[in-house]
C-alpha cells in the first residue's frame, strides 16, 4: 500500500499507548474545554443517524460504537482505518457485534468485496487527513462506493476557519498542525457545504464550537 508521508505522519501518532489516553484527553477534556463540542453532543449526533447496517471510518477507540444505540440488536458493523492499532482496539471494544475489519487508506480508491452499508460515519477524520478540505473530501467519494442507494453518511470534523476558537484551541490547533497530527489550517464550513450540496440532495451541517457535525443522504 503506497502511503504518502503526510498520511503516515497523521495516523502514526495513534499508538496503543496513545489510544489508552485518547478517551480521557480527546473525548473527556479536549472536546468540552478546547474544541467546545462536548462528547455527549457528538454521541447524540451518532444516535440520530446510525443504522443497524453501519460502517465506521476512522474508528479511534470505538467509543461511539460502544456507547451508541443501534436500532436493532442484530447489527452488522464494519470498521475501516489505516491504523492497525485503532482497528484492533475498536474491534476488541465492540467484539459483541463481530465487526468486519477493513485496513484501508481512504484517500485511495476502495475495492472491497463486501455488502453495502446503510450508514457510514466519518467522525473526527477529515482534520487528520493531509491537504485542503476540497481535496481530502475525496475520501467520502471513495467510501460511498460501499453505501447503499438509500443510505446516509454522517460525521464530524474540526474546522479552523470561520469558527470561534478560544485561546487553548488556537494554541493546540497550531501545535497539531505543525506536528502533522492535524492538517486543517484552511478547513472551513463553506468547502464542506459545497461538497455535500454537489453530491447529495439532502444535507445538514451544524457548527458547535470548532466542530462541524454533518449528515447527507440521497446521492445525486
Amino acid at each position: 500500500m503506497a502511503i504518502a508521508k503526510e498520511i503516515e505522519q497523521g495516523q502514526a501518532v495513534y499508538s496503543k499507548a496513545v489510544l489508552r489516553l485518547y478517551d480521557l484527553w480527546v473525548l473527556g477534556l479536549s472536546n468540552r474545554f478546547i474544541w467546545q463540542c462536548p462528547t455527549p453532543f457528538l454521541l447524540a449526533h451518532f444516535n440520530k443517524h446510525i443504522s443497524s447496517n453501519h460502517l465506521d471510518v476512522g474508528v479511534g477507540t470505538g467509543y461511539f460504537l460502544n456507547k451508541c444505540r443501534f436500532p436493532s440488536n442484530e447489527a452488522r458493523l464494519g470498521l475501516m482505518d489505516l491504523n492497525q492499532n485503532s482497528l484492533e482496539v475498536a474491534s476488541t471494544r465492540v467484539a459483541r457485534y463481530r465487526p468486519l475489519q477493513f485496513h484501508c487508506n481512504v484517500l485511495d480508491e476502495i475495492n472491497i468485496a463486501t455488502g453495502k452499508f446503510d450508514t457510514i460515519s466519518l467522525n473526527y477524520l477529515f482534520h487528520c487527513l493531509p491537504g485542503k478540505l476540497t481535496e481530502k473530501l475525496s475520501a467520502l467519494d471513495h467510501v460511498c462506493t460501499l453505501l447503499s442507494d438509500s443510505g446516509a453518511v454522517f460525521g464530524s470534523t474540526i474546522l479552523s476557519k470561520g469558527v470561534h476558537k478560544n485561546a487553548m484551541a488556537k494554541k493546540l490547533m497550531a501545535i497539531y498542525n505543525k506536528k502533522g497530527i492535524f492538517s486543517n489550517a484552511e478547513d472551513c464550513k463553506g468547502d464542506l457545504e459545497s461538497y455535500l450540496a454537489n453530491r447529495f440532495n439532502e444535507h445538514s451541517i451544524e457548527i458547535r464550537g470548532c466542530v462541524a457535525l454533518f449528515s447527507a443522504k440521497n446521492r445525486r
Side-chain angles (χ1 to χ4, degrees), residues 28-208:
L29 298 175
S30 297
N31 278 352
R32 181 174 296 276
F33 299 110
I34 301 177
W35 313 133
Q36 297 181 299
C37 182
T39 295
F41 197 80
L42 292 167
L43 180 58
H45 186 66
F46 229 85
N47 284 328
K48 180 179 179 180
H49 296 286
I50 198 165
S51 74
S52 294
N53 180 25
H54 182 72
L55 174 66
D56 190 56
V57 181
V59 298
T61 64
Y63 174 90
F64 292 102
L65 297 174
N66 186 49
K67 296 288 187 179
C68 74
R69 297 188 301 272
F70 287 98
S72 167
N73 292 328
E74 297 298 323
R76 173 177 177 254
L77 178 61
L79 308 177
M80 181 178 289
D81 208 295
L82 182 60
N83 187 293
Q84 191 62 43
N85 293 325
S86 289
L87 281 174
E88 291 175 7
V89 168
S91 182
T92 298
R93 196 168 193 175
V94 295
R96 61 191 182 277
Y97 298 118
R98 301 181 300 279
L100 304 168
Q101 293 187 47
F102 307 109
H103 184 232
C104 296
N105 173 11
V106 294
L107 292 179
D108 289 338
E109 291 186 4
I110 295 171
N111 297 297
I112 296 174
T114 189
K116 304 276 188 176
F117 294 90
D118 295 328
T119 49
I120 297 177
S121 57
L122 304 96
N123 195 59
Y124 274 24
L125 175 66
F126 292 123
H127 59 256
C128 296
L129 298 179
K132 296 180 179 179
L133 187 56
T134 52
E135 300 167 344
K136 54 194 177 182
L137 282 167
S138 64
L140 197 44
D141 289 330
H142 298 154
V143 300
C144 277
T145 60
L146 299 177
L147 185 67
S148 64
D149 290 341
S150 60
V153 297
F154 66 94
S156 59
T157 187
I158 298 173
L159 302 178
S160 180
K161 297 290 187 180
V163 294
H164 172 72
K165 294 181 286 187
N166 61 29
M168 290 187 294
K170 291 177 182 177
K171 182 65 174 179
L172 189 61
M173 206 175 292
I175 292 171
Y176 282 178
N177 274 274
K178 184 176 181 179
K179 289 181 175 293
I181 298 170
F182 280 12
S183 182
N184 74 335
E186 300 299 322
D187 289 8
C188 65
K189 179 184 176 183
D191 287 341
L192 179 60
E193 181 96 45
S194 178
Y195 172 89
L196 295 177
N198 285 333
R199 287 165 173 78
F200 295 89
N201 289 310
E202 299 179 49
H203 74 278
S204 174
I205 300 174
E206 180 178 359
I207 303 297
R208 178 94 174 198

